[in-house]
Amino acid sequence: MHLIQNFPFISIILCLASGVVSSVLSGKNAKRLCISLVSLLGILNSMVLFYVWKTKESYTFMMGHFPAPWGNELRIGVLESLMAVFFCAIMLLSLCGGMKRIFKDVEEEKTNLYFVMIDLMLSSLLAIIYTNDLFTAYVFVEINTIAACALIMIRNNGHSLVAAAKYMIMSLLGSGLILMALSMLYDLSGHLLMSNIKEAVAQILPGSQYEIPLTVVIALLCVGLAIKSALFPFHSWLPDAYGFSTPSSSAILSSLVSKAYIFLLIKIFYRVIGMDVMIDHKITNALFFFAVIGMLMGSLSAIKEHDIRRLIAFSSVAQIGYIYMGIGLGTKAGMMAALFHILSHAASKSMLFIAASGLSEVSGNSKDFTDLKGSGYRNKIAGIGFTVGALSMVGIPLFAGFTSKVYFAEAAVNASTSKMAIGMVILAISTILNAVYFIRAVISIYTPRNEHFIVPGYKPAVTFSVAMVFFIVLNFVLGIFSNPIMDAIEVGLKMFA
Amino acid sequence: MEVFEIILLLFLIVCAIAVSFSKNLLTTIIIFMSYSLIMSIIWILLKSPDLAITEAAVGAGVTSVLFFVTLKKIRAMKEEDNDEQA
Amino acid sequence: MGGNLLTNFYEAVAVILFGIGFTTLLLHRNMIKKILGFNIMDTAIYLFLAVKGYITGGMAPILTNGVEEQAYYINPVPSGLVLTGIVVSVSVTALMLALTIRLYRRYHTLDIDKMSMLAKKEDL
Amino acid sequence: MSKLNPNYEASKWRKIERFVNGEEISDNPNLSKHEEEIREASQEDKERNEQFEATITDLEDRIQKERKRSIEALYRKYEKWPQTKGIKIFTHIYRILAVLFCVCIISVLLMTVSYLPTFGDASNPNNNEVPKRYIEKGIEETGAINFVAGMILDYRAFDTLGESHVLFIAACCVLILLRIDHSKNGKKPTEKAEAEEDDRKFEPKNDKILQKIASLLIPPIIIYGIYVVLNGHLSPGGGFSGGAIIGAGLILYLNAFGYEKIEKFFTYKTYQRITVGALLFYACAKSYSFYTGANHLESGIPKGIPGNILSSGLILPLNVAVGLVVACTMYGFYTLFRKGGM
């Protein structure tokens, strides 16, 4: 057992322990502990990524003295460690980007509790990515829900409390459905371990006694995880939740939390029920249908928004529709495009949220577009960051959004003819809709107005500019050097099942 | 034993419907308390005593206490509003 | 309709309770009613899960007079899972109740729609 | 806005004003005529700018007021909304639709239940080799008489580790929401004093009957709670239920004897120390057994003789740690709800 193979387990336990410890530290020390912890985890998981990339096959890590079906188990492959590295990087950047606003929004006594939430959320994200046992995934989904609700409500103005209440109600509904599906699956297969369930499910032939319960289980799982990751019909909680929380928590929520649930759904697709059983049960068509409507409705409702944070929130409803469209295509290329879009959307969405907080800081802390006019000149780095994020969302070449749209188009072309037609048309329409509201936003922040907001000698915080620069570099790397990432995803998918 | 279990389960359904349809909050919470007590009896009938103790202590005990404290806090604030308005 | 509905009457009752809890959570606008609905829904799911482990004629999973065969005891796995679940639903209930007190202290109402309207009004 | 008087300069009122401002009143015009003219000219320029400025701000105010008035009208209409006929019908339809939605969910799930394996049948799929090993090899592998406790704290220990962190994170959330802390600057203590006063007015205050019964009841409760925690691996119970019983005992003590008595031995500091200490011990103990298990090292924790108190390896200390965390959290919930502080 190579030492590097222990790193995923060590990173989860370190996160849990540092979450507990930083509840007694002061705000400043908790911040230092959290930043150093997230960067350490980034390094550890990248070492795991190289190790698994070299050995070319995924290994299982036995939690405790008892092998898999009896004890818990982690399963580490290229795809999981790539996701883990990426999640740590995005969390580090959004924390640094929004650091000044955290200390301004949160009460002085309660900043260390904010970093407790960040640590425990990171541990639940890593556990959801790595676990190979369904009930462990459910327990850490609960930790994730409570931590996300705390991140929304920690900024104690009226709006964020109401948004947190709505978020909790919808999320608890989702996890109730997931637990119901889990207990039915346990009843059918007798196992909680993902690979054993797959063997049992494979034996359920169409027309046998357990055929209908299996369909209901698949439906409950997909609806539960769709509610939690805000797919179209269940996205009512998303604009308030992202619109009224602190910038760094809305960046983390929009780019990491909903993506972890989608990754769990992909893991269920491949490892618990099996891709071919899913396609026979036509669940991929239902997901494709809702995703397509989501892409349109998300962009349409974003057009009439005149608050910059809610505009970005509605655009993430549309982008989640993209990811579910990739899953709904049902082909391997579609799944790879969806996984790449998880990465590219996480990078550009968190950049947009942090840049928007920088812009509203120089325009009298208001989020309305009338006051944000000309803020691109006042806070230069935030203006550039917002423009790069907006152009990548619209899909201009050289940016991350463009390459994921190319992969979506490729996947849609060799999917079935009806899906290809609908997919390509909707892809085009939603790109135009994206262009409408994002280009309008970029133009409005660069029209020279509101001179009275100009503070002579205003310089944005150092951590903010550093985070912005790294975000821009990350976006270009994803846009231009996407081939090595796609190879990693392909290799990961091969060993994923 | 069969009949006793059926009576308890019917009582559970009646409690659940009563909780969702009754107007006064205090009676709803008391009905919910009896709901979790009946649930811990059912755990015993299902031969899982661990769950019975946990449901009784954690489910019926502490949850109902928290509900009562919340109700008292809301009643206290309501009286303060009436004093201010009066 | 499969044959097992009458034999699985425990699971049938659990599913009915799940439906009632689900609708109470969705239908009522009063926050306390929503939290009660959530509790009923969760307890129903735990009943549904724990009933899976029951074996007629089995004893409670505690070693009695040295017997170590599987046939004598019920399946301990579901009770372990439900034990974890009960504590999850208590902690989530405590969180939601704290949120309700905080919202009532600010908006003096328990109705979630009125709260969001008052929050919007606060913006002007 | 009253219109400005054109020869305002010469008016009596202006003279009084200048007198009040301390300017010297020069009646004879020839003195510093030139200075007078300059002041007059600059006065007119300033007035014109002010008027121009006034019109701009007036314009913006009017737009702002207009926008506010239209939204206000919208909200007044919104408040009268539920009474309008259209909405009443809509709520009725909404209710019927919701009940239909609930009936169809229940019927779908009932149909699934009818296809599930029969209740209580020994040959169900989930009665396979997994519980077989828990029961048959449970004693020699974990040493716990209570198979469920053995399963929770040894076989599937990762779930219970996550579980106690769910409780910890919920306690942190309630702290964020309800805690009124005694920070140094002036504003906070008033809030705290208000919560104290509010608590004293509505909560029971040292009434004799409650205290007498409490002094009879609390010792058995606490002893029973400790028994349940310590015998977690021998009889039903364990960390969670035992901790909740001890927490309930502390809540009864607080209700009967008030905050002064309990703060002698249980303040926010002790709450933090106990919770963090127990959780860190739990994480270290479990990561030790995970690490040794994963790398196939021999973990040198004695299993002891099954049936005694000190028997099943790590399960007893873990139960004590979980019991402490649960007791402090339940008590913390109660005090935070009541007074926003320990």
Side-chain angles (χ1 to χ4, degrees), chain A residues 179-180 183-184 186-188, chain B residues 2 5 9 12 38-39 41-48 51, chain C residues 4-15 17 42-58 73-83 86, chain D residues 113 116-127:
Chain A
L179 190 59
M180 178 61 95
S183 41
M184 275 191 207
Y186 174 69
D187 197 18
L188 295 181
Chain B
E2 203 67 31
E5 283 159 6
L9 289 175
L12 272 187
I38 297 292
M39 188 55 100
I41 296 168
I42 286 178
W43 292 139
I44 297 172
L45 290 178
L46 285 174
K47 295 281 192 304
S48 47
L51 298 183
Chain C
N4 293 352
L5 191 60
L6 287 174
T7 55
N8 301 358
F9 59 90
Y10 265 103
E11 278 132 339
V13 167
V15 152
L17 290 176
D42 254 4
T43 337
I45 299 174
Y46 300 140
L47 176 64
F48 186 83
L49 182 56
V51 149
K52 298 276 179 280
Y54 182 73
I55 295 166
T56 43
Y73 301 104
I74 67 164
N75 180 355
V77 172
S79 6
L81 305 182
V82 171
L83 204 65
I86 290 176
Chain D
V113 160
L116 287 179
T118 50
F119 162 69
D121 170 9
S123 64
N124 277 350
N126 61 30
N127 202 0

Side-chain angles (χ1 to χ4, degrees), chain D residues 222-266:
Chain D
I222 301 284
I223 292 167
Y224 177 62
I226 294 170
Y227 161 74
V228 166
V229 167
L230 290 183
N231 278 294
H233 53 289
L234 303 178
S235 68
F240 294 116
S241 31
I245 294 166
I246 296 173
L250 286 175
I251 290 172
L252 178 60
Y253 184 85
L254 169 68
N255 267 334
F257 298 102
Y259 272 94
E260 302 73 24
K261 288 285 280 282
I262 203 160
E263 249 144 28
K264 286 205 188 67
F265 65 94
F266 197 98

Side-chain angles (χ1 to χ4, degrees), chain A residues 1-3 6 9-10 12-13 16-17 19-21 23-24 61-67 69-72 74 107-110 112-114 116-117 120-121 127 131 133 135-136 139-140 142-143 146-147 149-150 153-154 161 180 184 186-192 196 209-210 212-214 216-217 220 306 368, chain D residues 67 108-109 111-118 124-134 141-142 154-159 161-163 165-166 168-170 172-181 183-184 188 268 272-273 275-277 279-280 283 286-299:
Chain A
M1 197 71 172
H2 210 277
L3 177 64
N6 292 333
F9 146 70
I10 289 174
I12 295 175
I13 297 286
L16 290 175
V20 168
V21 161
S23 75
V24 282
F61 182 87
M62 209 168 55
M63 300 287 272
H65 293 273
F66 311 103
W70 292 281
N72 294 105
L74 300 180
E107 270 171 55
E108 202 270 333
E109 283 293 312
K110 292 177 176 155
N112 65 340
L113 291 177
Y114 184 86
V116 166
M117 296 302 157
L120 287 170
M121 166 164 288
T131 179
D133 182 296
F135 193 73
T136 320
V139 171
F140 281 96
E142 281 299 315
I143 292 185
I146 298 178
C149 172
M153 70 181 163
I154 199 158
L161 290 174
M180 178 61 95
M184 275 191 207
Y186 174 69
D187 197 18
L188 295 181
S189 63
H191 284 285
L192 282 171
N196 296 29
Q209 186 204 5
Y210 296 152
I212 293 180
L214 184 64
V216 171
V217 158
L220 283 178
H306 49 74
D368 209 74
Chain D
R67 188 158 162 261
V108 163
L109 288 176
M111 191 185 71
T112 4
V113 160
S114 61
Y115 283 102
L116 287 179
T118 50
N124 277 350
N126 61 30
N127 202 0
N128 48 24
E129 78 281 1
V130 177
K132 186 178 192 33
R133 176 167 178 174
Y134 288 157
E141 278 177 352
T142 59
D154 231 336
Y155 283 106
R156 296 182 63 89
F158 194 40
D159 300 347
L161 181 69
E163 178 46 42
H165 281 84
V166 166
F168 169 72
I169 200 169
C172 286
C173 282
V174 176
L175 272 173
I176 291 174
L177 279 167
L178 292 179
R179 185 147 190 277
I180 301 162
D181 36 56
S183 63
K184 277 63 84 204
K188 272 288 176 323
Y268 182 59
Q272 270 185 326
R273 279 196 204 98
T275 324
V276 170
L279 275 173
L280 281 185
K286 266 303 128 192
S287 45
Y288 170 73
S289 77
F290 287 155
Y291 186 77
T292 49
N295 303 328
H296 309 296
L297 309 170
E298 187 31 53
S299 86

Side-chain angles (χ1 to χ4, degrees), chain A residues 208-236:
Chain A
S208 79
Q209 186 204 5
Y210 296 152
E211 178 55 24
I212 293 180
L214 184 64
T215 332
V216 171
V217 158
I218 295 172
L220 283 178
L221 272 174
C222 287
V223 168
L225 284 170
I227 289 177
K228 290 185 92 69
S229 60
L231 181 62
F232 169 66
F234 315 112
H235 69 294
S236 54

Side-chain angles (χ1 to χ4, degrees), chain C residues 4 68 70 84 87 102 117, chain D residues 78 116 120 127 136 163 177:
Chain C
N4 293 352
E68 276 186 26
Q70 184 186 6
T84 314
V87 180
R102 203 45 206 284
M117 199 192 70
Chain D
Y78 181 78
L116 287 179
N127 202 0
E136 268 149 19
E163 178 46 42
L177 279 167

Side-chain angles (χ1 to χ4, degrees), chain A residues 32 114-115 123 153 168 192 205 261 268 284 319 333 344 347 366 406 429 444 471 483:
Chain A
R32 284 185 206 102
Y114 184 86
F115 292 109
S123 74
M153 70 181 163
M168 266 315 260
L192 282 171
L205 309 166
Y261 295 127
I268 286 170
T284 45
Q319 300 300 323
S344 81
S366 98
V406 162
I429 296 172
S444 81
F471 267 133
N483 285 349

